[in-house]
Amino acid sequence: MRVADGWKDYELLDTSDGQRLERWKDITLIRPDPQVIWSTPKKHVGWRGANATYLRSSSGGGHWEVRRRMPDVWQVAYGDLLFNIKPMGFKHTGLFPEQAVNWDWMRKAIEGAGRPIKVLNLFAYTGGATLACAAAGASVCHVDASKGMVAWARENAAASHLADRSIRWLVDDCIKFVAREARRGNRYDAIIMDPPSYGRGPGGEVWKLPEQLHTLLTSCREILVEHPLFFVLNSYTTGLSPSVMGYMLSALLGNTFGGEVHADEIGLPVTASGLVLPCGATAVWSDKSCPSL
């Protein structure tokens, strides 16, 4: 497992009974996590003194129960990157801290490329990967179907002093955008994607990952340059294993461009237990010039 252990402003304090106890700088939150199927003593003081807890509803969704005063929005830093954090629906905060392990690797790959790198970030959410690539000197095309998420990403870029970097901010359906880029003849040195299990585009387009992922990956292959740098595929979809993701990248990219494929879980260290909580999966195709994973 690849572990995101470089955080100072974020800490996974403890896990138990389907919940994770987290510190986001000075704010402590309790959020549900389906991976936490164990029950261990909740000895950490944060369990009793958290600022807010996300409570699921039996009818679906849920709400935040605020117990101690907290700001509506605050910032956490990861190195030179700053992110605006705010509790929102479906337990989210606007950031997946385990992705830092991918940000670090992508920055090294871009900085060591020795040439200008053009990156396409699909399903780009609030821009963690966009900011990391831009900070490394790449030009980035950031695409997400949610206008609100793209606005949030731009705010993160401004907070990180990256607003003047070469970043295109687009609210668009990712499948349609990739098809248009192919027709235009636009090509990218690197592609990142973090597709949801299910979603809708800005025009009501329906996305179902099991049915459409292979088609999208095939389309993305057509907009890579002759000698691409990397392709990063993230997933939080239950049942889509790292091995399957790795096989897909090997078949679609390895046979065309050579290079190497690495697939594994990514996770966060748990302070109370010393264990690592699996938080998702990443498959990476990379040119042999890239840093090892």
Side-chain angles (χ1 to χ4, degrees), residues 59-126:
S59 59
H63 69 279
W64 287 94
E65 180 180 87
V66 178
R67 298 174 179 174
R68 294 171 51 206
R69 178 177 293 183
M70 54 187 282
D72 293 331
V73 182
W74 68 99
Q75 291 183 332
V76 300
Y78 184 75
D80 55 352
L81 305 180
L82 273 174
F83 300 97
N84 292 317
I85 302 299
K86 53 184 175 183
M88 54 183 184
F90 299 101
K91 77 177 182 179
H92 293 302
T93 60
L95 193 67
F96 291 87
E98 61 275 7
Q99 287 294 334
V101 72
N102 288 325
W103 305 339
D104 290 343
W105 180 84
M106 289 186 287
R107 289 185 72 155
K108 291 178 182 177
I110 292 167
E111 290 166 354
R115 58 185 170 97
I117 298 299
K118 185 179 177 182
V119 177
L120 174 60
N121 188 11
L122 299 170
F123 309 96
Y125 197 51
T126 59

Side-chain angles (χ1 to χ4, degrees), residues 156-229:
N156 287 338
S160 300
H161 305 290
L162 296 170
D164 61 345
R165 297 299 177 97
S166 178
I167 306 174
R168 293 175 64 202
W169 305 100
L170 300 175
V171 178
D172 206 339
D173 175 75
C174 290
I175 295 176
K176 291 182 177 180
F177 176 78
V178 169
R180 288 198 303 273
E181 290 293 86
R183 291 194 296 270
R184 294 166 182 151
N186 289 336
R187 299 292 181 264
Y188 295 87
D189 300 277
I191 296 178
I192 307 158
M193 67 166 67
D194 192 349
S197 301
Y198 177 85
R200 288 188 178 273
E205 304 89 348
V206 177
W207 162 267
K208 294 182 179 179
L209 185 138
E211 298 177 8
Q212 294 170 276
L213 179 57
H214 186 271
T215 300
L216 178 57
L217 291 174
T218 302
S219 298
C220 285
R221 180 179 58 187
E222 304 308 311
I223 60 171
L224 287 168
V225 297
E226 186 176 355
H227 300 290
L229 187 64

